[in-house]
Amino acid sequence: MQLQRCGLAMALAGWVLAAGGTMAEPVDLKIDPQIDHEIAGIQAIDNHAHPVLAPPAMATDREFDALPADSLEPQTDPSALRPDYPLLGAAWKALYGFDTPPPLDAAGLAQLNALRAKVEADKGEQFPAWVLGQAGIGTMLANRVAMGYGIAPPRFRWVPFADALLFPLDNEGLAAATPDRKTFFALEAIVRARYVKESGLTDAPATLDDYLKKVVTATLERHKAGGAVAEKFEVAYLRSFDFSDPPRAVAAKVYARWIGGGQPDAADYKLLQDFLFRYIATECGRLGLAVHLHTLGGIGSYFSVAGVNPLLLEPLFNDHRLRKTHFVLLHGGWPYVREIAALLQKPNVYADISCQDILFPPRTQAGWLREWLEFVPDKVLFGTDAYGFSEQMGWPEAAWIASHDARQALGLALTGMVADGEINRARAGEIAHLVLHDNAEALYQFK
Ligand SMILES: [Zn+2]
């Protein structure tokens, strides 16, 4: 389906917020019309999102994330996640025909919710797929604990979570680090218990060998058999990326000593986690599952931005035993966007622009996107990180805003490259297809 681009090109040419909260005249973003047209016609593969089940299951669905972010202490929200973000109005209008600019008062929000409820009821099980259609997305990778009603192949492909497998011992010590981690480790315990149970066990086995075989590999194989195309790590919320490479015997000793109970020594426990991460990444390579890693300054007031410097992952990417594993750096690693570009030279490393396309306006994002595309255009993937960020921005609004901002950023980057004589328009069209569709299709072997 061709996007309703004529109207959108006008509506999304750029918003300026005038005094009083109304929209001023659009600003011309100067995207080459031929490139703009090409981009508008592409049904994208969304590399990363958190769609919620179709109504009525959506009301109680909590499996859209292993670590839902709505239970954290307040942070300073970026502009795009505030209730007065101008593009919310464009998304509400496109999705639900609701024509009131943000911010909404209680009555406005009630009106919007009534319109949402009507569309949801009309579409029923097809509601999630309908959202994809509105956002120009053909296939969405659903990063969820489990798939479910209305979230199913072929429009949705599964990406489950692997973090719980990294932390099999008593996590009280790790949970004490910050209030956020206290919440997160409690949630991970639920996922880990689920994985143990689904593996046919009641408790974690007594030895590392058995844990690897009967829980870790069993879980990854079960995910693969259930249609998973990748495993997602939110480990950035739980610890830093500095994974060392301890021998298996060392990890086995730590596991055996504390699996029965007691608080593990922090340094020893880290060695076990480090070993487990490499083991899981190796198994993912064997099973043809990509490894997705959250790389971006994260949500929550205690997130360690220093701990997610993607250069900390370089030893993994350079480990010859892991060359069969495809690593995808989600959210493009902002603020480390240049480090990400350099890492894309590794044959098994990719990056997506999910979430960046919500948080940053197109021209800002086009800056580093252009640099990536000039460097290695075949390693950059489109994504949205469509997530229920707030009452104003549910996952449908987030998908819509990300898709349209990403297309504009891509249009600006490619227009600049053509204008400077780096590529011609035909190549610009090819790169647009690579980013929005073909790179993901090749990586996940969807054809
Ligand atoms: Zn996400």
Side-chain angles (χ1 to χ4, degrees):
M1 186 200 75
Q2 182 87 2
L3 280 178
Q4 304 288 312
R5 191 55 191 223
C6 300
L8 282 170
M10 295 263 297
L12 292 171
W15 294 102
V16 178
L17 199 63
T22 54
M23 295 293 178
E25 288 298 302
V27 177
D28 185 4
L29 280 174
K30 291 195 174 62
I31 298 174
D32 178 286
Q34 196 180 319
I35 294 171
D36 193 40
H37 182 77
E38 188 76 32
I39 288 173
I42 301 172
Q43 285 291 292
I45 297 175
D46 178 352
N47 185 65
H48 176 73
H50 302 266
V52 178
L53 299 183
M58 68 189 293
T60 52
D61 182 19
R62 293 294 290 167
E63 293 187 334
F64 56 84
D65 195 353
L67 303 176
D70 51 9
S71 48
L72 303 181
E73 288 187 16
Q75 60 173 2
T76 303
D77 280 335
S79 298
L81 299 184
R82 296 182 188 187
D84 61 354
Y85 187 53
L87 263 181
L88 282 170
W92 295 332
K93 192 171 176 189
L95 290 164
Y96 306 113
F98 181 69
D99 200 6
T100 304
L104 301 178
D105 57 17
L109 201 52
Q111 271 177 20
L112 171 62
N113 282 333
L115 284 170
R116 281 170 167 163
K118 189 174 176 320
V119 175
E120 287 160 12
D122 282 354
K123 306 294 175 193
E125 187 177 1
Q126 292 307 310
F127 177 73
W130 173 82
V131 171
L132 299 198
Q134 299 307 300
I137 296 167
T139 307
M140 174 179 270
L141 270 57
N143 186 200
R144 294 181 47 90
V145 176
M147 300 290 263
Y149 187 62
I151 305 290
R155 297 297 296 276
F156 296 90
R157 307 294 292 262
W158 189 29
V159 180
F161 296 88
D163 304 281
L165 299 168
L166 291 179
F167 301 96
L169 305 183
D170 183 329
N171 293 311
E172 219 172 286
L174 299 178
T178 68
D180 286 359
R181 286 197 183 162
K182 188 171 192 294
T183 307
F184 285 149
F185 277 103
L187 292 164
E188 289 296 353
I190 297 169
V191 180
R192 191 170 46 260
R194 177 188 188 126
Y195 288 170
V196 168
K197 194 174 164 207
E198 286 174 352
S199 301
L201 303 171
T202 46
D203 271 316
T207 66
L208 180 66
D209 280 359
D210 274 356
Y211 176 67
L212 295 177
K213 195 170 124 200
K214 295 178 182 170
V215 179
V216 179
T217 291
T219 297
L220 299 175
E221 288 180 344
R222 210 166 48 244
H223 287 170
K224 175 75 179 177
V229 299
E231 289 286 339
K232 159 83 177 298
F233 283 96
E234 299 183 300
V235 68
Y237 285 93
L238 303 167
R239 53 157 285 175
S240 90
F241 279 163
D242 62 330
F243 295 103
S244 65
D245 187 11
R248 183 170 177 138
V250 170
K253 230 168 133 180
V254 176
Y255 182 94
R257 175 157 180 207
W258 279 293
I259 193 62
Q263 263 203 40
D265 173 80
D268 282 352
Y269 193 10
K270 181 179 177 298
L271 291 174
L272 175 61
Q273 297 155 29
D274 294 352
F275 173 83
L276 287 169
F277 186 87
R278 263 192 168 71
Y279 177 85
I280 294 168
T282 309
E283 283 291 84
C284 285
R286 177 179 72 81
L287 292 165
L289 295 163
V291 169
H292 284 191
L293 284 148
H294 172 107
T295 61
L296 175 92
I299 285 175
S301 49
Y302 294 98
F303 187 91
S304 169
V305 181
V308 293
N309 185 333
L311 290 183
L312 292 170
L313 297 166
E314 193 177 17
L316 291 161
F317 304 151
N318 284 346
D319 184 337
H320 66 94
R321 296 163 297 175
L322 290 172
R323 276 291 156 101
K324 279 204 184 108
T325 304
H326 294 117
F327 293 93
V328 188
L329 308 177
L330 306 185
H331 324 312
W334 185 89
Y336 304 103
V337 289
R338 287 224 149 124
E339 286 80 350
I340 291 280
L343 291 170
L344 294 180
Q345 264 187 294
K346 318 280 182 194
N348 55 342
V349 177
Y350 299 74
D352 85 13
I353 59 170
S354 63
C355 206
Q356 294 196 355
D357 41 21
I358 294 173
L359 298 180
F360 297 97
R363 188 174 299 285
T364 305
Q365 195 189 165
W368 63 75
L369 183 59
R370 174 171 171 172
E371 195 169 312
W372 293 356
L373 297 180
E374 288 168 338
F375 196 53
V376 278
D378 41 352
K379 304 299 279 299
V380 180
L381 311 175
F382 164 73
T384 62
D385 204 13
Y387 193 91
F389 285 102
S390 64
E391 232 185 322
Q392 291 81 5
M393 193 193 286
W395 81 268
E397 284 89 352
W400 192 92
I401 289 171
S403 182
H404 291 87
D405 272 10
R407 286 168 202 263
Q408 287 203 322
L410 187 56
L412 284 169
L414 294 170
T415 298
M417 290 164 74
V418 170
D420 291 339
E422 297 170 19
I423 53 171
N424 60 25
R425 284 193 174 80
R427 179 61 182 154
E430 279 172 21
I431 294 176
H433 281 269
L434 288 177
V435 173
L436 287 167
H437 182 273
D438 298 357
N439 287 342
E441 184 183 57
L443 173 60
Y444 303 110
Q445 299 179 345
F446 281 160
K447 239 187 348 197

